[in-house]
Amino acid sequence: SPQNLSEEFAEAARQLKKEAPRIQFGKIDVTHQHDLRKEFNIREFPTVKFFVDGSKEDPIDCKGVRQASAFITWVKRRIGPSTVLINSTDEAEAIINADDLAVIGFFKELHTDSVEVFCETARDVPEMPFGMTASEDVRANYGIQKNTLVVFKKGKPVHNEVLEDGRQNKLDLTRLIKTFSLDLVTEYNLETSVKIFDVPVENHILLFTPMNLETFSAIYENYKSAAVEFRGKIIFVLVNTNETRNGRVFEYFRIREVDIPAVRILNLTSNAKYKMPADEVTVENLKEFCQSYLNGKAKLHLSSEEIPEDWDKMPVKVLVGKNFNRIVF
C-alpha cells in the first residue's frame, strides 16, 4: 500500500543519512502542489524520482521498489558501481550463496557494450545481488566460454543468457531476470498477485482449471514445459477454479464451468484478451498460441452472450457481441 511504501522510503532515508549524507530525501504531497504534479507529470502514487547533480531535468524514475533495503541498493547503484567485481571463485560463491537469487556476468574483458548493458540492468534490479568477472579461472570453474549472464537460484545456475554486443537491451534483460522472483508457473492468489504485477512483463497467460481434475498433473506439466520457452516474455499463471476467492477473475474473463480447463492471454497495457484456439492443453498447442500472440497473429477474444432467439422481433433490435458487427456494420 502507499502507506507501507512511504514507511519503507522513510526507513531507507534514515539508513542512508549515515551511509551517504550527500543524498537528500524529500516528500511532496501533490494534492497541494498542483504545479509540481503537472511539471513532473505525476500520474500514480507514490512516485519516486531521483534528481542528479542539482538538475530538475530528466530525473530518474525509481519503479517497482517496495522494500527499504531495495531502495538503499537502488540509490547506491545509481551513485556508485552497480555490480561487485569478482576476482576469485570464492568471491563468486560468496555472492551466489548469500541470497535466494544472484546474477553473475562472466566476461572475457570488462570494456564492451554488453558489460555496459549488464551494469545498467543491475541498477534497475536492486532486489538481487549482481557480480561480474573477467577472470579466466572463475569462468573455467563454471564451464563458461562466452560472455554470459547466469542467474543462480539457491546456489544453483537456473538460466544462462549469452550476451552479444548490440543484441540485448536493458529492458529485455531486466524483464527476464525479474521473472526469476516468480516460479515458472505461479498460482494466483492475493499474496502472489502483488508479486506477479511487480514483474514488468505485460503479457500474462492464465490456465483456468480445478486442481482436483483427474488430468491436472499432466496439464500442469505441459503448462510448465511451455513456460520455459517464454520466460521473460509471458508470465504463466495458474488459476484454481475451485477457489471461490478467484471468482472475480473468472468473471473478468467470462469463464464458465463448461469452458474449463481454459487458457487465455491478457495484455496488461491494452487489456486485450485472447483465447487459445485449441481445447487440448498440450505443450504444442500452448507454444503455438504464445508464439502467434507474440507475432501479433492471435485473434482478439471478445466475450459475448448468445444471440437471443427473438432479437429481431421488435422495432428495437437486441444486439450482443456475436451479432453486433454483422447487424451494425
Side-chain angles (χ1 to χ4, degrees), residues 20 23 39 47 66 82-83 94 112 136 163 167 177 188 273 289 291 320:
I23 298 167
E39 183 180 348
T47 290
R66 289 174 181 273
S82 59
T83 63
T112 60
E136 231 171 282
L163 300 175
R167 200 172 71 99
I177 292 164
Y188 181 88
K273 305 182 195 77
F289 180 37
Q291 206 47 66
V320 293

Side-chain angles (χ1 to χ4, degrees), residues 185-189 193 196-197 202-209 219 223 234-241 246 248-250 252-253 255 260-268 272-276 281 286 289-290:
V185 170
T186 306
E187 189 189 334
Y188 181 88
N189 57 41
S193 66
I196 292 167
F197 291 115
E202 63 174 9
N203 310 312
H204 291 185
I205 185 168
L206 299 98
L207 166 64
F208 294 86
T209 179
I219 287 174
Y223 198 55
I234 302 177
I235 289 177
F236 277 61
V237 179
L238 170 72
V239 184
N240 180 7
T241 55
N246 289 340
R248 279 174 61 190
V249 188
F250 315 147
Y252 181 70
F253 285 91
I255 302 285
I260 52 180
V263 179
R264 300 282 187 273
I265 284 178
L266 171 68
N267 179 293
L268 293 189
K273 305 182 195 77
Y274 301 83
K275 178 184 179 180
M276 185 164 80
V281 186
L286 287 162
F289 180 37
C290 291

